Amino acid sequence: MPNLSVLMPVYNASRFLRQAVESILCQSYTDFELIIIHDGSTDNSLEILSHFTDPRIKLIDNPVNCGIVTCLNRGFAAASGAYIARMDADDYSLPDRFKAQLEFMNLHPDIGVCGTQYRIIGEAKAESLIPKLPTDPDLLACTLLFHCCLAHPAVMMRRHVLERLDSPPYESSYEHAEDYRLWARLSGITRMTNLKDCHLLYRHHDAQISRTMSPEQLKQAERISLEQLYQFGLFPTAEELEIHLALFSPKRHGDQAERAWVRKILSNNLQVRKFDQAALNEVLSHCI
């Protein structure tokens, strides 16, 4: 039985699919199964997959398109590893990704979710952008209150942590932001982090979900952020919610109303003690 199960949904991904699969098969860590969930593609994705003969590949073939949430839950149900990793069919995992994540998680048993830094490829104007994801678990937990700060295709998770959820890991009612919803749910169960090094090349292209479904993804992300505020014990007005959602964007207000909302967040945390106060102060330091 493999120690690691890798979930890769595939839908009309022929353009970059071969490279994505090969980047997993060429990992320096080899004790894994690659569960590919083919989701009723209308291009030649299935034909490309048929040329791979590596016995570590387990193919699930949906006769019709079911969507990424169904695919991921089916993949998780079929997984046998103690660890679950994600991979997308248009990205590229660097050779030591699994090795680095497993070594870190073995040394830190309190960490249930481990992502990595990533570099953008495929678009000249974006390739110079290297997003900096939080590596401190306390800072990451605070940051999730405002926006998603884990790259889904770079993540590795402990199976037993996912099994503590009261329903399947991915929820169809949050499709297009199903990862952010999962991190929000897991934040109350386990500690999460990102490695400081880059182990994933994240591809920008016109057909990716974050572009084709961008308005819906943004709407879902705002909903998840609001639900976290409710769980935190804050019930913002429409104006406060607008301020909250803009805190980490170029559209942030930077005015007295913004500072009042930030003070309300910090004051509330002193009462409920949900987040490490020093970490929350650091995350919001640009607004104080």
Side-chain angles (χ1 to χ4, degrees):
M1 183 179 296
N3 188 43
L4 170 66
S5 298
V6 186
L7 309 185
M8 179 192 287
V10 172
Y11 176 67
N12 287 351
S14 61
R15 189 175 172 192
F16 306 112
L17 180 57
R18 186 180 302 277
Q19 293 169 282
V21 173
E22 289 175 349
S23 78
I24 298 301
L25 298 180
C26 292
Q27 288 289 304
S28 58
Y29 181 85
T30 59
D31 186 17
F32 65 83
E33 61 180 354
L34 173 56
I35 302 175
I36 300 177
I37 311 96
H38 175 255
D39 197 26
S41 296
T42 57
D43 65 1
N44 64 330
S45 291
L46 189 57
E47 179 186 352
I48 292 170
L49 292 172
S50 70
H51 292 295
F52 288 98
T53 58
D54 193 302
R56 293 173 296 179
I57 294 177
K58 180 188 294 186
L59 179 64
I60 298 173
D61 185 19
N62 296 336
V64 296
N65 181 254
C66 299
I68 189 170
V69 168
T70 297
C71 286
L72 289 173
N73 286 331
R74 285 182 178 176
F76 177 64
S80 55
Y83 294 89
I84 307 293
R86 272 283 286 114
M87 178 62 182
D88 282 342
D90 51 1
D91 295 330
Y92 190 93
S93 284
L94 297 177
D96 289 331
R97 175 192 159 188
F98 294 162
K99 178 175 180 287
Q101 288 176 296
L102 283 165
E103 285 180 351
F104 183 90
M105 295 183 82
N106 285 336
L107 288 172
H108 300 85
D110 61 318
I111 297 296
V113 178
C114 179
T116 80
Q117 307 300 318
Y118 66 92
R119 181 165 61 85
I120 297 171
I121 61 172
E123 192 175 77
K125 64 182 180 181
E127 288 192 359
S128 61
L129 300 175
I130 304 176
K132 179 62 176 175
L133 301 175
T135 58
D136 180 274
D138 290 325
L139 292 177
L140 191 152
C142 296
T143 303
L144 281 174
L145 186 62
F146 306 95
H147 60 85
C148 186
C149 52
L150 287 149
H152 199 191
V155 158
M156 184 177 291
M157 303 166 277
R158 295 185 193 274
R159 180 192 186 92
H160 74 83
V161 169
L162 293 174
E163 289 175 339
R164 290 177 61 187
L165 296 169
D166 57 7
S167 60
Y170 298 97
E171 297 174 282
S172 58
S173 58
Y174 293 87
E175 191 158 14
H176 310 309
E178 67 282 340
D179 54 338
Y180 186 18
R181 168 61 175 168
L182 178 58
W183 316 143
R185 294 170 72 197
L186 290 176
S187 65
I189 294 175
T190 191
R191 286 166 66 77
M192 298 178 277
T193 192
N194 289 295
L195 300 183
K196 64 180 178 62
D197 295 325
C198 172
H199 290 282
L200 181 86
L201 304 183
Y202 180 82
R203 194 181 303 275
H204 271 200
H205 59 92
D206 291 339
Q208 68 188 139
I209 291 292
S210 58
R211 294 198 174 188
T212 59
M213 298 294 181
S214 183
E216 178 63 22
Q217 188 176 58
L218 180 61
K219 180 180 177 181
Q220 292 282 35
E222 291 176 352
R223 172 188 172 197
I224 294 163
S225 185
L226 178 60
E227 288 172 349
Q228 289 184 92
L229 287 173
Y230 290 163
Q231 292 166 2
F232 183 45
L234 286 179
F235 300 87
T237 65
E239 180 187 6
E240 287 173 331
L241 180 59
E242 181 184 344
I243 290 170
H244 183 85
L245 296 172
L247 281 175
F248 292 84
S249 80
K251 298 179 180 179
R252 61 172 288 239
H253 296 216
D255 57 10
Q256 185 174 347
E258 179 186 90
R259 289 189 290 275
W261 173 245
V262 168
R263 287 194 298 271
K264 184 178 287 190
I265 293 172
L266 294 170
S267 176
N268 187 70
N269 192 59
L270 287 173
Q271 300 298 317
V272 301
R273 299 292 182 181
K274 180 177 176 64
F275 303 107
D276 179 89
Q277 191 72 15
L280 189 58
N281 270 291
E282 183 174 340
V283 167
L284 290 169
S285 60
H286 71 295
C287 304
I288 300 172

